[in-house]
Amino acid sequence: MTFDPTPAPPEAATDDHLLAAWLAEQAGRRLLEVRSEGLEGRALKDAGDQAAHELLMRLLAEHRPGDAVLSEEGKDDKARLQADRVWIVDPLDGTREFSEPPRDDWAVHVALWQRGAGDGSTGDGDLVAAAVGQAALGETFHTGAPPVVPPSTSEAPRIAVSRSRPPEFVHGLATELDAQLVAMGSAGAKVISVARDVTDAYVHAGGQYEWDSAAPVAVARAAGLFTSRVDGSPLRYNQDDVYLPDLVVCRPELADRILAWIAEHGV
């Protein structure tokens, strides 16, 4: 089946925020198309990963031909370490949930790292634009128009955790905060759930890579949420080793309590 992307907005020629949002939307449209083709299980997961990756690589080559790309589904070209601009993408985050229609907790991650950006705490560069597309929700969250985080509607804090691999330490943290655990899929969906007032925090220490968190972390930062490693240190991207196993994303007022508990009890 031939997939025709909708035209990119003219402003995306120079606006990385709009380009990231458009890329995430197009990959999400392609994934919904793949989901409707009658595949199941592993075949559906593999088809979704491949289709979204190929589309994003083609569109990035067309619209930002001079930039490097780090994709979960592609070969890691270490030339990115000398590049000034690197797109960090996860074409389909939450493949398990994607393969279980009508679940909506899967996402497309598109982030841009730029050399010289940031305050120096994240090395020689930082994330400057990003989008998380949740096509099954009909929503794309991006740094050009960050989500406005409403006041929490829950009396008790809510912590997003993995459906399949919730880390043991989170149960102790939940007891400390008198919090409830909310299980869901994709890391992107969990981070964005904090911005959507579905949860109040996402704490993870079970192993991830840069593409799992780059785009959602950039959107969360733009929305005013707190983001860090579990030891409170900054999240660094476009590193030689792309393993980035842990993160904390939460409402700012919860950050000190979460980090203090982790510092005392570990993960």
Side-chain angles (χ1 to χ4, degrees):
M1 183 182 294
T2 301
F3 176 79
D4 293 319
T6 59
E11 298 83 0
T14 56
D15 188 322
D16 293 319
H17 304 286
L18 292 182
L19 182 68
W22 176 75
L23 290 167
E25 287 169 357
Q26 300 314 303
R29 286 183 56 229
R30 180 71 181 99
L31 285 163
L32 289 176
E33 185 178 86
V34 171
R35 217 185 195 192
S36 70
E37 291 171 357
L39 299 172
E40 296 181 351
R42 171 53 62 185
L44 177 54
K45 295 176 184 178
D46 291 347
D49 276 332
Q50 181 177 0
H53 170 72
E54 290 177 353
L55 178 64
L56 288 172
M57 294 300 287
R58 173 165 66 88
L59 295 178
L60 279 166
E62 177 183 346
H63 291 273
R64 294 293 190 272
D67 295 353
V69 182
L70 172 65
S71 170
E72 179 181 17
E73 301 304 320
K75 184 177 183 297
D76 182 4
D77 183 349
K78 295 293 186 176
R80 66 180 172 78
L81 297 173
Q82 279 70 53
D84 289 334
R85 289 164 51 93
V86 182
W87 293 88
I88 303 173
V89 302
D90 189 341
L92 173 54
D93 185 62
T95 51
R96 174 182 171 182
E97 289 71 31
F98 171 75
S99 72
E100 299 175 359
R103 293 196 71 98
D104 60 26
D105 48 342
W106 51 275
V108 176
H109 297 178
V110 180
L112 174 63
W113 176 94
Q114 187 166 302
R115 189 174 306 281
D119 59 8
S121 65
T122 55
D124 65 351
D126 206 351
L127 304 171
V128 294
V132 176
Q134 291 191 251
L137 279 180
E139 296 274 7
T140 300
F141 306 90
H142 66 96
T143 50
V148 176
V149 183
S152 179
T153 54
S154 176
E155 291 184 5
R158 300 154 296 178
I159 303 175
V161 295
S162 169
R163 288 175 68 203
S164 55
R165 300 179 302 277
E168 279 300 317
F169 79 91
V170 172
H171 295 281
L173 175 61
T175 299
E176 170 69 19
L177 298 179
D178 193 23
Q180 60 190 53
L181 302 181
V182 182
M184 61 183 75
S186 152
K190 288 194 277 284
V191 171
I192 296 301
S193 74
V194 183
R196 294 174 55 218
D197 186 34
V198 174
T199 65
D200 302 288
Y202 171 41
V203 185
H204 182 80
Q208 288 182 348
Y209 295 85
E210 289 190 14
W211 47 74
D212 290 306
S213 66
V217 160
V219 174
R221 286 179 186 168
L225 297 174
F226 173 86
T227 68
S228 77
R229 300 286 301 269
V230 292
D231 63 359
S233 64
L235 291 149
R236 294 186 169 94
Y237 295 92
N238 196 36
Q239 302 296 294
D240 181 38
D241 182 357
V242 297
Y243 186 58
L244 189 57
D246 56 79
L247 81 161
V248 175
V249 177
C250 65
R251 292 179 178 271
E253 61 269 22
L254 292 176
D256 287 347
R257 292 176 66 194
I258 290 172
L259 293 177
W261 189 92
I262 293 173
E264 180 178 353
H265 298 277
V267 296

